[in-house]
Amino acid sequence: MARDERGVTATQDDFASWYQDVVIKAGLVDRGPAKGTMVIRPYGYAIWELLQAKLDAEIKETGHQNCYFPMLIPESYLTREAKHVEGFAPELAVVTHAGGKVLEEPLVVRPTSETIIGEMMAKWIESWRDLPLKLNQWANVVRWELRPRMFLRTTEFLWQEGHTAHTDEAEAREEMMLALGIYERVARELAAMPVVPGEKTAGERFAGAVSTVTIEAMMRDGKALQAGTSHYMGRNFATAFGIGYTSADGREELAHTTSWGMSTRMLGGLIMTHGDERGLVLPPRLAPHQVVIVPITRGTDTTVVAAAHELAAKLRAADVRVHVDDRDQLSPGRKYNEWELKGAPVRLELGPRDLAAGTAVMALRLGAGKQSIPLDELPQQMPRVLEEFQAMLLARASEFRHSRTVTVDDWAGFEAAVASGWAVALHCGRPECEDQVKAATAATPRCVPLDAAPESGRCVRCDAPAAYGKRVIFARAY
């Protein structure tokens, strides 16, 4: 398989290999020593921190409180909710020895925290006055992956998980949709990912949930990525863990619970939504360095470097994240290539002639050329340039998704659509039919879009009456 001079596979040759090459070469991650693990390097973690800060603020603004729970969970906790443990059993990592002894009860390394948080909720909730209880945790989780891929599926990853308890179903379902709305805003406004919110079919629902809603995004190879999910758990976990309360009229009731999460998988989605042959393309709102200044020097003259740092200070005062690449061991051309690979939205080139003219040369990561801009105008212009770049990425991704999404009514059209994108089709809703679709095409139902128009008819696969009253998105997925 051919790679360019940077060691990056071309997207048209093998998109999966391109992705693996880019995340390593751009300095986002490295492979961990244990199989399936990853080390998130500073540049990659800086992107996560920017997303995390916005997501954390949104969660807190809606009345949720952050907390932390142990990562080691007694094995018996998971067995209390049958569907839950069945769904996670193949992915569990279990500790059987500690302190040189065999443990009386094995401990599961946290795959998700419904069980341990449910145990604590049962202790903390006594009456209706204690509800709603709205908790959020930032944590790492472990799910044993047989086919790991950096950010997308690794044995250990980072996420937030919200867990809430309510007096009634309506309030809990409202909470489920509130979380989904937060995820949709973060994806669109920060990551410039035009996600589709929808409900999962029964076969794709979270283990132990009554209802699961999701945001689905299209990657540049036409596949789908589940970017965030929110679940109404009904009273399943309340029953298993005794999450009860005394109602206002003195009756003993069980709570309705929810859980919802967004993880470092979003970074994989960001990369595959916007990247190109030259590497990453970062939306300005999630770029660690929104602007990179490359001084072009002559000999030992430090005038240009000093001017570059002075310009950087002025841009920072305009609330722009800026980096001056003043490494003298690399040529300007090498620096240009590196920052293209790393996806910096804007590059400013500043040489002696530019400085004498009172200008800098600006190059956008997806621009069609370069332009000279007066130095004294850059602090005022750059915020607008960055916002326009952010909006352009969202529009570009939206148009790409539109071009690869096909409404189909027959099986031949379905097979053709999911080979390179999304098929929007009527479906009977039966899990066995979903299994047949997956076996034939590797496509799965991604979601029933919330805003889809009402429609009835026959299933595209088995010709049984369609369920849901609207069309379903099918795609191959990560």
Side-chain angles (χ1 to χ4, degrees):
M1 187 182 300
R3 287 181 166 86
D4 63 19
E5 67 278 1
R6 303 163 305 163
V8 177
T9 304
T11 57
Q12 65 267 24
D13 290 345
D14 189 327
F15 189 82
S17 294
W18 167 86
Y19 174 82
Q20 292 289 92
D21 292 342
V22 164
V23 295
I24 297 292
K25 298 293 182 180
L28 300 182
V29 296
D30 208 338
R31 294 177 177 85
K35 181 181 179 181
T37 62
M38 66 176 171
V39 176
I40 306 177
R41 299 180 64 179
Y43 192 64
Y45 198 79
I47 301 171
W48 173 242
E49 284 184 310
L50 289 165
L51 186 146
Q52 182 188 40
K54 173 63 174 175
L55 182 53
D56 190 60
E58 289 248 5
I59 290 170
K60 287 174 179 173
E61 284 173 9
T62 51
H64 301 81
Q65 295 180 301
N66 281 349
C67 52
Y68 186 80
F69 292 83
M71 70 180 299
L72 296 177
I73 303 171
E75 188 178 50
S76 60
Y77 281 30
L78 272 78
T79 62
R80 294 190 205 173
E81 215 293 324
K83 290 183 180 178
H84 188 68
V85 70
E86 181 183 349
F88 280 102
E91 302 175 335
L92 297 181
V94 183
V95 179
T96 58
H97 293 68
K101 298 180 179 180
V102 177
L103 297 177
E104 290 185 10
E105 179 180 0
L107 299 172
V108 174
V109 183
R110 172 177 54 216
T112 181
S113 298
E114 280 79 7
T115 58
I116 193 166
I117 292 179
E119 177 77 5
M120 294 299 106
M121 282 182 167
K123 292 176 63 176
W124 299 340
I125 297 169
E126 294 183 357
S127 84
W128 61 274
R129 295 182 180 87
D130 299 320
L131 298 172
L133 180 59
K134 298 184 176 184
L135 305 176
N136 179 65
Q137 174 175 231
W138 290 96
N140 60 339
V141 293
V142 170
R143 298 179 185 176
W144 213 255
E145 288 290 347
L146 298 178
R147 293 177 292 278
R149 185 170 293 171
M150 299 295 180
F151 289 125
L152 300 177
R153 291 188 180 276
T154 48
T155 297
E156 180 186 6
F157 57 90
L158 306 180
W159 76 349
Q160 60 74 215
E161 49 179 317
H163 297 270
T164 67
H166 306 265
T167 56
D168 60 68
E169 177 177 348
E171 185 180 85
R173 286 188 177 274
E174 183 179 347
E175 170 74 18
M176 175 183 72
M177 298 308 297
L178 173 71
L180 189 73
I182 291 173
Y183 293 158
E184 184 180 5
R185 286 195 300 277
V186 167
R188 292 183 65 89
E189 295 176 9
L190 264 72
M193 291 169 58
V195 294
V196 176
E199 184 167 5
K200 288 290 190 182
T201 64
E204 294 289 318
R205 204 176 284 154
F206 179 72
V210 173
S211 179
T212 292
V213 289
T214 178
I215 52 171
E216 299 286 329
M218 181 184 284
M219 306 296 97
R220 290 198 72 78
D221 61 351
K223 290 184 179 179
L225 182 82
Q226 178 181 288
T229 52
S230 182
H231 320 284
Y232 167 56
M233 314 301 287
R235 288 175 165 172
N236 293 343
F237 283 87
T239 300
F241 290 89
I243 308 172
Y245 66 95
T246 304
S247 67
D249 58 7
R251 291 181 292 110
E252 294 301 314
E253 301 280 1
L254 287 172
H256 295 256
T257 66
T258 76
S259 71
W260 28 276
M262 179 175 278
S263 75
T264 40
R265 155 178 278 245
M266 271 291 291
L267 272 62
L270 173 76
I271 295 160
M272 292 194 294
T273 298
H274 303 300
D276 66 7
E277 298 300 331
R278 293 183 288 169
L280 304 180
V281 178
L282 296 180
R285 293 179 187 174
L286 287 179
H289 307 313
Q290 296 171 314
V291 176
V292 172
I293 303 174
V294 179
I296 303 169
T297 59
R298 291 177 179 173
T300 58
D301 187 1
T302 61
T303 305
V304 172
V305 173
H309 283 282
E310 182 180 345
L311 173 60
K314 291 178 180 178
L315 289 171
R316 290 189 188 103
D319 203 26
V320 174
R321 293 188 295 275
V322 60
H323 172 71
V324 178
D325 189 347
D326 55 6
R327 294 173 293 175
D328 56 14
Q329 68 270 33
L330 292 182
S331 68
R334 287 279 301 277
K335 294 177 184 179
Y336 300 163
N337 289 335
E338 180 176 329
W339 289 109
E340 283 187 338
L341 177 63
K342 287 178 171 288
V346 178
R347 186 178 73 243
L348 294 176
E349 302 165 12
L350 185 63
R353 292 182 181 178
D354 304 306
L355 191 57
T359 62
V361 175
M362 181 175 74
L364 300 181
R365 176 59 180 81
L366 292 178
K370 301 180 181 182
Q371 63 179 118
S372 292
I373 300 180
L375 293 173
D376 58 2
E377 293 181 12
L378 279 169
Q380 290 75 40
Q381 286 198 32
M382 194 54 64
R384 175 186 57 79
V385 169
L386 293 170
E387 283 303 298
E388 289 177 352
F389 191 87
Q390 179 87 22
M392 180 273 294
L393 287 183
L394 180 60
R396 174 176 175 258
S398 298
E399 174 56 32
F400 180 81
R401 190 190 75 196
H402 178 73
S403 71
R404 294 284 192 99
T405 302
V406 182
T407 299
V408 298
D409 292 307
D410 60 81
W411 185 245
F414 183 97
E415 289 182 300
V418 298
S420 61
W422 292 5
V424 185
L426 293 170
H427 174 52
C428 64
R430 296 180 301 116
E432 54 269 32
C433 186
E434 292 180 10
D435 292 342
Q436 292 172 11
V437 170
K438 184 176 182 179
T441 66
T444 55
R446 304 316 307 155
C447 70
V448 184
L450 297 179
D451 63 354
E455 190 170 351
S456 60
R458 314 294 293 185
C459 176
V460 71
R461 173 65 184 180
C462 69
D463 203 41
Y468 312 116
K470 56 177 72 173
R471 289 179 181 263
V472 180
I473 293 174
F474 281 84
R476 297 174 181 176
Y478 286 97

